[in-house]
Amino acid sequence: MITVVDLWIYLSGGPLLWLTATLVAYAIAERASHALGRHPLAHPVPLAIAMVSALLAATGTSFPTYFAGAQFVHFLLGPATVALAVPLFRQWPLVRRSILPMAVALLVGGVVAIVSAVGLALLLGLPEQIALALAPKSVTAAIAMGVADTIGADPALAAVLVITTGILGAIMAKPVLDLDGVRHRAARGFAIGLSAHGIGTARAFQDNEVAGTFAGIAMGLNGLITAMLVPLLVLLLR
């Protein structure tokens, strides 16, 4: 007679188990978020992370084992990023008219994101390693880990801070922008993408395509200037 333990041992040996678990967790989280009216606290990403983390803890599965099965999701980050060119092409006339405001917002927002994070960390007396890992918190994990390695910070810690920033940004962006009276869809999307990278961009696309397009532009451009500015600012601080 096959027991639950026997069945689990058999399934855990297959490469698709954790990929399936990840997709199912996100599908459940997405349904829950939709049922709750897209409430900021019911964002599907932290809900899915909580479910997968609980499953890993309950089964005693290590992260390397999980990642070995779910890495196809990681691979899809590349095609998903390239696919942002489709809405960019559709909204190109509006994007072209907004180049100057975007350039100003990108420069100011990028610098403030770096300086405010590092400055507050140092003022609060946090260790230098944590302060440095906070510098690239507003860009995608791949870029942040590369920047962290360049400036002597812990890439793994930088990745955790990036994910945390993205989740908090996706949760808080809409209420904060509503409170500030920002109604322009392009401006809202650009602000979300600049501060909350890929997770924020996905949240912006849930509102409308214009916001998502400008969030994707901000995410890409902020990654570029952050990779150039962080080493320079760290050099000045030292």
Side-chain angles (χ1 to χ4, degrees):
M1 181 177 179
I2 299 177
T3 65
V4 175
V5 175
D6 293 332
L7 181 61
W8 174 258
I9 292 174
Y10 173 75
L11 291 175
S12 62
L16 295 180
L17 172 65
W18 294 110
L19 173 61
T20 303
T22 302
L23 296 178
V24 169
Y26 188 82
I28 295 173
E30 177 66 21
R31 291 291 296 273
S33 178
H34 179 73
L36 295 172
R38 298 297 182 188
H39 191 280
L41 295 179
H43 193 278
V45 171
L47 292 179
I49 290 175
M51 284 187 283
V52 173
S53 298
L55 182 58
L56 293 176
T59 59
T61 304
S62 65
F63 179 77
T65 300
Y66 163 77
F67 188 75
Q71 60 182 327
F72 185 66
V73 176
H74 182 74
F75 165 77
L76 289 177
L77 288 174
T81 303
V82 174
L84 291 173
V86 175
L88 173 60
F89 176 78
R90 293 174 180 169
Q91 303 295 333
W92 177 245
L94 178 59
V95 172
R96 185 172 55 189
R97 294 194 301 269
S98 307
I99 288 179
L100 182 58
M102 283 195 301
V104 176
L106 176 67
L107 182 60
V108 174
V111 172
V112 169
I114 299 169
V115 174
S116 62
V118 177
L120 285 173
L122 294 176
L123 285 175
L124 292 173
L126 296 179
E128 182 180 332
Q129 279 291 312
I130 297 179
L132 292 178
L134 278 166
K137 66 176 178 55
S138 294
V139 300
T140 58
I143 297 176
M145 293 175 71
V147 172
D149 187 56
T150 300
I151 62 177
D154 184 356
L157 176 59
V160 172
L161 294 172
V162 164
I163 295 172
T164 304
T165 298
I167 292 173
L168 292 176
I171 292 173
M172 299 172 60
K174 190 176 185 299
V176 170
L177 291 171
D178 290 343
L179 185 64
D180 290 341
V182 179
R183 297 289 181 264
H184 196 281
R185 291 179 176 179
R188 290 173 68 93
F190 198 86
I192 295 172
L194 184 63
S195 59
H197 50 84
I199 299 176
T201 299
R203 178 65 182 87
F205 269 110
Q206 290 179 344
D207 290 340
N208 56 76
E209 185 175 297
V210 173
T213 299
F214 278 82
I217 294 172
M219 176 183 69
L221 294 178
N222 190 39
L224 177 63
I225 69 164
T226 298
M228 295 187 295
L229 288 178
V230 167
L232 294 176
L233 291 175
V234 170
L235 184 62
L236 291 175
L237 287 174
R238 288 175 170 173

